[in-house]
Amino acid sequence: MKVRDWLQLYPLFRVALALIAGLVAGDSFGFVVPTWLWLAVTSSALLIALASYRWKTAQGVAILFTVMCFGFLLMTMQKNRLAVPIPKEEHVSEAVVMTTPMVRGKVVQCDLYVLSGPLSGQKVRASILRDTVERRYEALKVGDGIRFRSAFQPIQSYPSNSHFNYQRWMAIRGYRAQTFIYHRDWAQCQLDLTCMPRFERLRLKAQKVREKLLSHYAAHGFDDQDYAVLAAMTLGEKSFLSKQTKEVFSISGASHVLALSGLHLSIIYGLLVLVLGGRGLRRVFSLAFVVLTVWVYVFLTGMSSSVMRSAIMLTVYSLVSLLNRDKMSLNALSLTAIVMLLLHPLSLWDVGFQLSFMAVAAILLLYRPIERWMPETILDKSAVVRKLWGMMAVSLAAQIGTAPLVAYYFGRFSCYFLLTNLLAIPLTVLILYTSCLLFALSFAPLLQNVVAVALTWMTRVLNHYLSFLASWPGASVEGSHINLWQLALMYVIIACVCWVASYLRQAYARSRIM
């Protein structure tokens, strides 16, 4: 298929590329061009696109240029909105605790939403010096109000050999500053939360619900890293993970198991559809309930980029399935990217956003060609072999799509990812289903205890298996840091190899027919 025909087949992909080009340009030159001038350019481009309806090619180019201009304007407005001046002097502020306070050495870290003071209406990362005498920090919990005196500082990036930008990563998640609070300079207080935006209040309630669900794990004897892995896999709470556990999952190529993504949401989605089912009008209502439940879960787990992408795609999947259209395509993925970037333009620079979309795009484009590598005569002999090969084909496609990005950001390539996924993915499915069963059996404590034992066993098997793979010689290639041009070249090479392989396969098929 020619490139032009391929682009015609996926019009939303072209729109997404134009929007991304505009966002990148706006990030680089947003402060050079005045907002009013770029608004005029965007409006003019839109008028030209509407006026050129008789010339389809010209109108298509004008529409894409309009989208690019809108992306530039959107990013410029976003950066202007984030340019909050940070005072250097100490001030008294009032804030509400938004995350569970975690002990980190001599300090307790948590997120604060400031309600009064120089950064009112902003989210900051706070480090509170621990008081080893009165130990007042132990009483702090999500939703508590505190009054404190401190100075705010801009968030600084950590020195690193990788291209990961911590400062931008924090900005994407809404953090505007950081502060250090001396143990005598803060006190709990009652605050009126009605002045908080409704969305932030909903997030606070979701965090409290997540705390209650996590307390169920603690009550059933899950401890240390079993608890940490379970909390990350099911509720998106990664703050309990140790550096060693993160390293084991990263080396073995199982980091996607810890990060809530399409794997986790598709498991929950499939379970709900299987339970509710139905045909006709009942199917419409059941799908609506399933999608609503998925979005509640997304909100509960913190709305990360990967889980947002999955939720939007599942929503699109549900809608087009009712219309009997192509459910999973590059157009659906492109629509998801457009929606997410319009809602939060800075998501484009989120590592999770990039990895998530590249993984799904690679699966959509490469899964079928890779699956055909195995002859049908072998696959037809055993359903188990077909399932295993299908799982390996998905893993290989996703790895091809994300490996350059992982090397660019983290300088690492996991060598045994196929072996990792052979057991990690089935165990992830079982762990998620068993976790749902654990919460559903709250009315039957004895049955809950039995389920908790099974859940503990599965989590430990997963941890030990990944630790075993990570200890193998050559488990990962380290220090493979590449620059931006090398990253682009790697994707060009991958595209060329795929095109040549597709051309050779078609030529071989034609020769057999002749």
Side-chain angles (χ1 to χ4, degrees):
M1 183 184 295
K2 296 181 179 180
V3 175
R4 182 177 179 180
D5 296 336
W6 187 85
L7 290 175
Q8 291 290 341
L9 189 62
Y10 302 109
L12 289 179
F13 179 70
R14 292 179 292 165
V15 175
L17 287 181
L19 180 61
I20 290 172
L23 293 175
V24 172
D27 181 68
S28 302
F29 309 107
F31 291 119
V32 177
V33 182
T35 304
W36 64 267
L37 179 58
W38 206 254
L39 179 61
V41 172
T42 305
S43 302
S44 302
L46 178 60
L47 292 176
I48 293 174
L50 294 175
S52 57
Y53 64 92
R54 294 184 179 179
W55 302 276
K56 299 301 181 182
T57 302
Q59 186 181 44
V61 173
I63 290 174
L64 294 179
F65 182 71
T66 303
V67 173
M68 188 179 69
C69 292
F70 183 74
F72 189 106
L73 178 63
L74 195 65
M75 179 54 65
T76 303
M77 295 172 62
Q78 179 78 0
K79 295 190 75 171
N80 289 333
R81 188 162 49 247
L82 295 178
V84 179
I86 301 176
K88 298 181 180 179
E89 302 81 12
E90 287 190 352
H91 291 273
V92 176
S93 304
E94 292 180 336
V96 59
V97 179
M98 298 294 291
T99 58
T100 305
M102 299 294 298
V103 176
R104 296 284 187 265
K106 295 182 179 180
V107 300
V108 175
Q109 289 185 342
C110 62
D111 297 341
L112 302 178
Y113 187 87
V114 183
L115 297 178
S116 68
L119 289 184
S120 178
Q122 304 295 331
K123 188 167 72 169
V124 300
R125 172 63 60 87
S127 297
I128 304 173
L129 185 64
R130 289 198 294 154
D131 179 12
T132 56
V133 179
E134 298 179 2
R135 308 176 72 90
R136 291 183 298 131
Y137 66 89
E138 294 181 348
L140 271 182
K141 59 183 183 299
V142 175
D144 285 349
I146 66 169
R147 182 181 292 108
F148 62 96
R149 180 181 182 85
S150 69
F152 296 99
Q153 300 91 28
I155 295 173
Q156 301 295 328
S157 292
Y158 295 116
S160 173
N161 294 327
S162 69
H163 296 278
F164 179 73
N165 190 325
Y166 178 76
Q167 187 178 25
R168 167 158 274 180
W169 183 82
M170 294 290 282
I172 292 170
R173 280 152 179 76
Y175 297 94
R176 299 294 170 260
Q178 60 188 13
T179 185
F180 178 83
I181 306 173
Y182 192 62
H183 66 83
R184 295 187 182 276
D185 290 341
W186 70 274
Q188 288 184 261
C189 64
Q190 293 292 329
L191 297 178
D192 182 14
L193 301 184
T194 56
C195 59
M196 287 180 66
R198 187 180 298 274
F199 181 75
E200 294 297 334
R201 277 183 282 163
L202 288 174
R203 291 185 69 170
L204 185 59
K205 291 180 180 178
Q207 182 67 24
K208 290 181 178 180
V209 173
R210 182 161 64 169
E211 291 290 310
K212 290 182 179 179
L213 293 176
L214 288 172
S215 66
H216 282 281
Y217 288 145
H220 285 89
F222 296 98
D223 57 2
D224 198 28
Q225 291 310 293
D226 293 335
Y227 171 85
V229 170
L230 201 56
M233 288 179 61
T234 59
L235 294 171
E237 182 57 75
K238 297 183 181 179
S239 57
F240 300 102
L241 292 167
S242 66
K243 289 184 179 179
Q244 182 181 0
T245 300
K246 292 179 182 178
E247 192 73 2
V248 165
F249 275 76
S250 178
I251 292 174
S252 60
S255 294
H256 61 285
V257 172
L258 291 178
L260 290 180
S261 60
L263 172 65
H264 304 74
L265 281 193
S266 60
I267 292 170
I268 295 173
Y269 180 90
L271 175 64
L272 291 174
V273 170
L274 180 65
V275 171
L276 297 176
R279 293 182 178 180
L281 188 60
R282 181 183 174 184
R283 180 166 176 257
V284 175
F285 284 111
S286 65
L287 279 178
F289 176 78
V290 169
V291 170
L292 179 62
T293 304
V294 165
W295 278 103
V296 169
Y297 179 73
V298 168
F299 204 79
L300 182 66
T301 55
M303 303 179 69
S304 65
S305 294
S306 57
V307 78
M308 282 285 290
R309 188 271 309 159
S310 306
I312 295 175
M313 284 205 71
L314 285 175
T315 304
V316 173
Y317 176 91
S318 301
L319 179 61
V320 298
S321 66
L322 293 174
L323 302 175
N324 296 319
R325 299 291 182 89
D326 186 10
K327 301 179 182 63
M328 299 300 289
S329 68
L330 199 58
N331 277 327
L333 183 65
S334 301
L335 176 61
T336 304
I338 292 169
V339 171
M340 289 186 66
L341 292 176
L342 290 177
L343 293 175
H344 190 28
L346 286 177
S347 295
L348 181 61
W349 286 269
D350 187 357
V351 179
F353 177 93
Q354 296 174 14
L355 289 173
S356 178
F357 274 91
M358 286 306 302
V360 176
I363 291 171
L364 290 174
L365 296 174
L366 303 179
Y367 167 68
R368 290 301 178 189
I370 293 175
E371 188 188 34
R372 296 191 188 104
W373 290 353
M374 185 69 70
E376 285 291 333
T377 53
I378 298 177
L379 296 178
D380 290 339
K381 292 180 178 180
S382 173
V384 175
V385 173
R386 181 177 291 273
K387 288 287 184 181
L388 288 176
W389 176 244
M391 187 187 306
M392 294 177 69
V394 170
S395 299
L396 188 56
Q399 192 73 12
I400 292 173
T402 59
L405 277 175
V406 173
Y408 176 75
Y409 283 114
F410 308 111
R412 169 175 286 164
F413 178 79
S414 301
C415 299
Y416 304 135
F417 63 92
L418 288 176
L419 289 177
T420 295
N421 290 326
L422 281 178
L423 185 62
I425 291 179
L427 275 177
T428 300
V429 175
L430 290 175
I431 287 172
L432 284 175
Y433 284 167
T434 309
S435 298
C436 293
L437 184 60
L438 180 71
F439 295 132
L441 290 175
S442 57
F443 63 91
L446 292 178
L447 290 177
Q448 259 193 329
N449 291 335
V450 175
V451 173
V453 171
L455 192 56
T456 302
W457 181 82
M458 286 184 284
T459 307
R460 288 179 179 174
V461 168
L462 177 63
N463 288 340
H464 290 315
Y465 177 67
L466 296 182
S467 298
F468 175 64
L469 287 182
S471 65
W472 283 11
S476 65
V477 177
E478 303 292 338
S480 55
H481 297 286
I482 60 176
N483 58 37
L484 189 60
W485 291 106
Q486 290 171 327
L487 173 67
L489 181 60
M490 287 182 70
Y491 278 114
V492 170
I493 293 174
I494 290 173
C496 291
V497 170
C498 292
W499 181 82
V500 170
S502 175
Y503 177 81
L504 292 176
R505 184 179 179 278
Q506 292 176 6
Y508 176 73
R510 287 194 298 267
S511 65
R512 292 194 63 181
I513 294 175
M514 296 175 62

